[in-house]
Amino acid sequence: MTSIMTSNQKKIGIGVLFCGLIIVLGAAVFFLTHPKKDLSIINAQGTIQQSMTLTRQYQNGEETIYHSDTIHSAEAAIPDNEISGESSLSLMINGQAQTIVGYIDSNTKKYSLELKVVDFEEAAGRIVMAVTYVDGLNDHKREFVFE
C-alpha cells in the first residue's frame, strides 16, 4: 500500500520547510550580528573620573580582567584563564576593593559579568554599582557601594 501525497499536502509540506528555514536563518543572522560580550559596563551617568579594576584572585596569584582610568560604558571579552584553580572576583574603584563573587569553581571557564552604575554622587565620590554574575550554574546579583 503506497501513499500518494496530494497537491495540497505537497504545498503545505514545502511551506512548513520554508518557514523553518526562514526561522533558522533569522536566528543565525541575529546571533552573528549581535555577539554577547562577557563583560558589560553600563553607565548612564556620563564618564566618571575614577579608576576601576576588575581582578580575579587565585590561591597562587591574580589576573586583571579589566582596567580603566575612568568609569564609562564599555563591552569587553573576558580573557581566558592563565592561572587555574578556585578563585574569586573583586572590583576596585578609586582604591577601594570589594569582593563581588566570593567563590568561582576551578572548572568555571566562561562567565558573564554586568557592572551597572546605579547611582553616582560626585560631591561625595559615592558610586553604587549593581553587579550581575552568571556562569551557567550560579547567578549572583548584588549592589555594592564605593565611597
Side-chain angles (χ1 to χ4, degrees):
M1 192 175 214
T2 60
S3 75
I4 299 173
M5 293 181 71
T6 66
S7 175
N8 285 339
Q9 288 174 329
K10 287 180 184 177
K11 288 179 184 178
I12 291 172
I14 291 172
V16 168
L17 286 174
F18 183 72
C19 288
L21 180 64
I22 295 295
I23 290 170
V24 168
L25 287 175
V29 167
F30 176 80
F31 287 114
L32 290 174
T33 59
H34 295 89
K36 183 181 180 313
K37 292 295 183 179
D38 301 323
L39 173 63
S40 295
I41 301 167
I42 302 167
N43 180 10
Q45 310 287 331
T47 300
I48 299 172
Q49 299 299 320
Q50 294 189 19
S51 64
M52 179 173 76
T53 304
L54 180 64
T55 307
R56 188 167 177 180
Q57 285 98 11
Y58 300 85
Q59 290 180 350
N60 56 346
E62 67 181 35
E63 291 178 317
T64 299
I65 305 288
Y66 177 84
H67 174 78
S68 178
D69 292 332
T70 61
I71 300 172
H72 56 277
S73 293
E75 288 189 342
I78 294 175
D80 291 336
N81 304 0
E82 304 237 346
I83 305 171
S84 63
E86 296 172 347
S87 61
S88 63
L89 282 176
S90 70
L91 179 63
M92 181 182 297
I93 295 180
N94 214 26
Q96 180 188 1
Q98 293 192 42
T99 300
I100 57 174
V101 180
Y103 176 79
I104 300 173
D105 188 77
S106 61
N107 294 325
T108 302
K109 303 295 181 210
K110 294 300 265 177
Y111 56 91
S112 65
L113 196 60
E114 179 184 277
L115 308 171
K116 182 177 183 179
V117 177
V118 177
D119 188 33
F120 172 57
E121 296 174 16
E122 188 172 3
R126 181 177 183 269
I127 299 173
V128 179
M129 297 285 283
V131 177
T132 304
Y133 167 87
V134 177
D135 69 12
L137 296 175
N138 301 299
D139 297 353
H140 301 285
K141 185 170 184 172
R142 290 183 47 203
E143 286 191 357
F144 296 88
V145 178
F146 295 87
E147 299 187 81

